[in-house]
Amino acid sequence: MSAPPADAAPWAAADPYTAALRTGTGPLFLRRTDGWLLPLDVERWCARADAVDRDVLDRCEGPVLDVGCGPGRLVAELAARGRTVLGIDVSATAVERTTRLGGPALHRSVFDPLPGEGRWRTVLLMDGNVGIGGDPHALLRRTARLLAPDGLLIAETAPVDVDERAEVEVTDTPVRASGRPFPWARLGTPALLRHAKEAGLRSTAQWEAGGRSFVALRVRTAHTSADAANSAAVISSQRPRNTSAERPVVSA
């Protein structure tokens, strides 16, 4: 199995992130090296699944793998419904919180060996997790290998048209970074669709709800299109175009 494009450990080791998960409160930001800040919605992540989340979960099929499950609201909701589900996260604190909520979770990167590879019916990339590793193409190819044939990927995208890769740090104040930089990406729906096509995934639905944007994709199979040969290669096998699509909260 190929290694991730970059080590995910800095995110997991970022003290403000751990503290925020333990308290369930922010503020928390991803801070780009030029001072641009992206607020992280810790309070929502640590709350119960809301109506928008539940609509996403209603669309899930079969066993579900939640990549970057965070504090576990989605895993816990699916487990409460009696669904087969597993969360994975590089943060031990996130995994501990997920299991306390009654959801099964493992302390793993998506690029680590995982249970059920090639048999998951649904994979979730929520809450900005399309940015894992800073290489969307590598992440989507890896996701395609985790999914069963014609499996479903549901990804949450940025609500703006952006295709950005950057070095970021986790911070809990507008002016102070608290860890070493690590690669991250932000993708709007158009960018995700471009990367997905290259990774052997086809779009089946797009929708917006509660100010959030989502895309549903499926692994291409020999029965879906003339791109079957490309799909088979993917299955066998974490520059910005618009870096200012949103105004920064603070420029330090």
Side-chain angles (χ1 to χ4, degrees):
M1 179 180 301
S2 60
D7 187 8
W11 170 273
D15 290 339
Y17 181 65
T18 297
L21 292 191
R22 286 175 176 164
T23 64
T25 61
L28 197 68
F29 308 93
L30 286 183
R31 185 181 190 275
R32 214 164 53 192
T33 54
D34 62 2
W36 186 92
L37 292 174
L38 177 67
L40 301 177
D41 200 353
V42 176
E43 287 84 358
R44 179 172 62 79
W45 297 352
C46 291
R48 297 182 62 180
D50 61 19
V52 176
D53 295 327
R54 292 193 297 272
D55 175 68
V56 170
L57 300 183
D58 289 344
R59 299 168 185 257
C60 292
E61 303 170 356
V64 180
L65 178 67
D66 185 3
V67 173
C69 66
R73 75 188 191 283
L74 304 179
V75 177
E77 173 68 19
L78 285 168
R81 297 182 182 191
R83 299 288 299 275
T84 299
V85 60
L86 177 66
I88 59 169
D89 204 285
V90 295
S91 164
T93 302
V95 170
E96 291 167 5
R97 182 163 180 144
T98 300
T99 56
R100 284 201 306 272
L101 291 176
L106 293 176
H107 186 202
R108 303 272 180 89
S109 163
V110 64
F111 296 99
D112 290 336
L114 295 172
E117 295 199 13
R119 298 193 300 275
W120 293 101
R121 293 299 306 168
T122 304
V123 171
L124 297 175
L125 286 172
M126 299 281 280
D127 302 327
N129 284 330
V130 291
I132 288 172
D135 186 340
H137 185 63
L139 177 63
L140 292 171
R141 285 177 65 91
R142 172 60 175 148
T143 302
R145 293 195 298 271
L146 293 171
L147 284 165
D150 203 36
L152 178 68
L153 168 63
I154 300 180
E156 184 171 354
T157 59
V160 293
D161 185 4
V162 62
D163 187 356
E164 177 181 64
R165 305 182 195 189
E167 294 286 313
V168 298
E169 296 174 297
V170 178
T171 182
D172 53 6
T173 74
V175 295
R176 178 176 61 87
S178 305
R180 61 187 177 92
F182 58 95
W184 198 253
R186 285 197 312 140
L187 301 179
T189 294
L192 178 64
L193 294 177
R194 288 194 299 272
H195 290 290
K197 183 177 181 180
E198 295 174 359
L201 295 159
R202 57 186 175 88
S203 174
T204 60
Q206 302 171 38
W207 71 98
E208 296 182 358
R212 298 162 64 189
S213 300
F214 304 91
V215 175
L217 305 136
R218 288 193 185 276
V219 176
R220 290 179 181 152
T221 69
H223 303 290
T224 58
S225 74
D227 296 325
N230 292 335
S231 176
V234 170
I235 295 172
S236 66
S237 47
Q238 214 153 230
R239 116 295 58 206
R241 190 173 65 84
N242 179 7
T243 59
S244 58
E246 298 176 24
R247 296 183 64 185
V249 178
V250 176
S251 292

